[in-house]
Each structure stands twice: as C-alpha cells, then as structure tokens.
Amino acid sequence: MSPMTRRVGRSATRLLSALSAVAMLAAVSGCGLLGGSESTSADAPSGSGQVEKSKIKLGLLPILDVASVHLAIKKNYFRDEGLEVEVTNFQGGAAAIPGLIKGEIDITFGNWVSFFSAEANGAAKGVDGLKLVSDGYQTKPEMFLIVAAPDAAVKSPQDLAGKKIAINTYRNIAELTARATLEANNVDPNSVEFKEMPFPDMEAAIKGGSVDAAFMVEPFITRAQRAIGATTVLDAASGPTDGIPIGGYATTGKFAQDNPKTIEAFQRAMARGQKDASDSAAVVPLLQEYAKVDKETAGLVKFGEFPTSLDATRLQRVATLMRTYGLLEKDFDVKPMILAGSSG
C-alpha cells in the first residue's frame, strides 16, 4: 500500500477541538441499464426534459450509501427529468475516478477523501478538475464499524495495535476514519497494517483468519453479525469522526460545462431520492435487490443520513482530517469543487 508518511501526534481532546472548530464504501463489476417502474412521489418534476445527454453513465457501489439512486430510479425521478441511467459498480470510489476522467462514466458516487485527494493532486486537471454534484451519505453511530470474528483475540481498540485490518480501498474514507479513531483510543495508527479487499470478501477473511479485523459498512456489517456473530471492535464514526460526511456524487468540470442542463436534471432527481431515502421502509426492499441481501438482514441494517444538499462547512471537516493524517500535503478548500445547484 501507499503508506501515510505524515502523522500529527495530538491527543484526542486536541483533535476533537480542532475539528469542531471547522463547521464539517463492494466488489462486483458490471453494467446494467436501469429505468424504473412506477412514480410515487407527490413532488412534480421541475425539468423540461431538454437535457444535452439523455443517457448518463453512473458509477456506484452496491452498498447502503447509494440507496437514494435506486429509489430515484424505481420512482422514475430520473425519467421525469428526461434522463436514463446506466449503472457500473466499482469496488470503491477511488476505483471509479480514472473512469470518470477518461469519460467512461459521466458521474460517480465516491467518498470525499478520494475526490479531494484526486483534486489536490491534479489528477483531473485535463478535464477541468472534479466537481461535486450531489451529497450522498453521512455517518451515524454503528454503521461504520471495525469488526472481528467472535473467537478472535481482537476484542477492543487497543487489541488492534500491530494487527491486520481489511479495508475496501487504500487511502479512502475508511482508512482515514480508522486512523483517526485508533489514535483517539491511544493506538498508533501506523502500527496497523491495512489490507485491501472488496466488502463482500471481508466476512470470510475474518472468519478464516487472513485478517484480524475488517472495516465494514452496511449491509455487510449486519450480514456478518448474523452469519458468523461478528463483534464490534471500534466504531469508526465516533469521537473525532462523529457525524462525518462519507461520500457523494461527482463529475468532471468538462462534463459539467458541456452538459449543464443534464447536471441540473440529475441534481433534481437526486434531491428527491435523497429525501425519500430517509424512510428506511422504502430502502429495505431495494437492498434485497441491488445489494443482494436477504430480507431479515436488510431489515436490521443501521442507517446513516442522506443529506439533501451539499454544505461546504461540513465537507471541510473531511479535508481538515485529511490534512491532519497526511492525505493532503497542504490546506485544501473544498468550496471551488461544489457546483451551483448542489448546495442549499
């Protein structure tokens, strides 16, 4: 992996103070053309349907975080805006960024860490940078966990020192929040070895002992708890990372400039989907379809927040934490990345 070479040694209290001063996730690859079968929202679409590109290619992960997209598809919110959505699944947000830059996909879900790193490093300079289109997901307790097998020696955060932890991709929101919460629990994050693997493979990995613990998101947390009795070692959305934004949707500056009406239509459809995703009863059946989990597991997952607009102050928390742990070499302002119409 690419090691993080900079670490700021500060107490959990100081880290919490610094962050509070700044007002701030699968492995299957494939494509499918998704439309919708019925429209149930009382909100009338505001678009005229005159978009520059009616069929958009969207990068996703089959995790709870993107439930709003699947709701928007099912309820015809995209179709109401003159859009048809073709989905490609990726292992992590970082894996989708090269495809975005190459024009293989038009918009993608990803974690904020990956987007901010790519933008700060100039990875998308040739396509006028990365632009943030819509918010996606934000943490709540017990839905961003480091777990272990029930018979593992790892029982507490302190037991993770010197151990091997599975994450879906390196240098992303999972690794960042893991490092922050490890340090808040007096564990040197540089003593931990992170091993990259897809979310669906983590349950077998902790059961078989190829890793000591795994950083999981829903619905994989609940699935592992039910299947093998996985136990919680550390809540990575606590202390310095409590309520931290996880990820959202981005495009390139070039695509946004060439297709402004398409982006606006996407934003309107997503705002409706995000609003509806706050109703867990509407999301549970969809998890059975796109995340391939059984009905009982889907009904037990812990939900985060689905914000309806991007807020630069909240997102700046992520950049501040990245600076603290060496994922950014200098201070980074997220505001220039946010497209008009995505904040409110």
Side-chain angles (χ1 to χ4, degrees):
M1 62 175 282
S2 299
M4 296 183 186
T5 57
R6 180 178 179 271
R7 173 174 175 265
V8 176
R10 60 175 67 177
S11 67
T13 301
R14 290 180 62 198
L15 181 58
L16 280 164
S17 176
L19 291 173
S20 61
V22 184
M24 171 102 165
L25 13 230
V28 184
S29 290
C31 295
L33 193 62
L34 303 180
S37 56
E38 56 183 274
S39 181
T40 59
S41 173
D43 297 328
S46 58
S48 66
Q50 300 300 313
V51 297
E52 299 88 358
K53 187 172 184 179
S54 61
K55 184 182 293 185
I56 57 173
K57 298 178 181 179
L58 178 64
L60 295 180
L61 287 72
I63 56 178
L64 177 57
D65 309 35
V66 299
S68 55
V69 171
H70 294 278
L71 276 172
I73 289 170
K74 187 175 183 62
K75 294 188 175 186
N76 285 336
Y77 294 163
F78 290 112
R79 189 169 295 173
D80 289 346
E81 298 289 349
L83 297 176
E84 192 172 16
V85 178
E86 182 180 347
V87 168
T88 298
N89 282 320
F90 291 90
Q91 178 172 322
I97 292 175
L100 191 66
I101 294 171
K102 294 176 184 176
E104 296 169 352
I105 52 177
D106 303 314
I107 300 172
T108 189
F109 176 84
N111 69 87
W112 301 127
V113 172
S114 297
F115 289 145
F116 297 163
S117 292
E119 183 67 9
N121 294 333
K125 189 175 181 180
V127 286
D128 298 329
L130 297 180
K131 298 298 179 182
L132 308 182
V133 177
S134 300
D135 208 334
Y137 207 48
Q138 183 170 318
T139 61
K140 288 177 69 174
E142 298 184 8
M143 43 74 61
F144 225 34
L145 301 179
I146 296 178
V147 303
D151 58 350
V154 176
K155 303 295 183 184
S156 70
Q158 290 71 34
D159 295 333
L160 291 169
K163 297 299 193 296
K164 186 180 295 183
I165 302 175
I167 56 173
N168 66 318
T169 54
Y170 295 132
R171 300 176 68 83
N172 71 346
I173 191 71
E175 185 173 345
L176 177 64
T177 55
R179 286 179 175 272
T181 48
L182 283 168
E183 184 169 270
N185 283 274
N186 300 313
V187 177
D188 182 357
N190 291 325
S191 73
V192 171
E193 178 185 352
F194 292 103
K195 183 176 181 180
E196 189 177 59
M197 69 175 62
F199 285 123
D201 296 348
M202 292 181 183
E203 180 184 314
I206 59 173
K207 182 179 180 181
S210 60
V211 294
D212 301 293
F215 190 114
M216 289 188 179
V217 299
E218 292 288 17
F220 303 101
I221 293 171
T222 299
R223 177 186 286 169
Q225 289 171 337
R226 297 187 70 239
I228 64 171
T231 59
T232 299
V233 180
L234 176 62
D235 188 338
S238 63
T241 59
D242 180 36
I244 199 167
I246 298 174
Y249 302 82
T251 188
T252 64
K254 184 179 185 306
F255 185 86
Q257 184 175 0
D258 293 345
N259 303 276
K261 292 182 180 179
T262 301
I263 291 295
E264 290 169 3
F266 180 86
Q267 289 172 328
R268 288 191 295 266
M270 281 301 304
R272 297 171 74 189
Q274 289 284 107
K275 181 180 178 181
D276 289 359
S278 62
D279 178 12
S280 60
V283 174
V284 167
L286 291 180
L287 285 176
Q288 300 173 58
E289 298 174 17
Y290 77 85
K292 309 302 181 187
V293 297
D294 61 88
K295 182 178 180 180
E296 290 74 17
T297 297
L300 293 171
V301 298
K302 289 89 174 174
F303 281 71
E305 300 281 354
F306 292 90
T308 56
S309 63
L310 284 170
D311 180 83
T313 303
R314 284 191 302 104
L315 298 190
Q316 196 64 45
R317 280 190 65 197
V318 180
T320 299
L321 203 61
M322 291 172 69
R323 179 76 170 111
T324 299
Y325 286 91
L327 271 72
L328 290 172
E329 295 182 358
K330 57 184 179 180
D331 293 342
F332 181 81
D333 184 5
V334 305
K335 290 193 219 47
M337 293 183 69
I338 300 176
L339 286 174
S342 57
S343 59

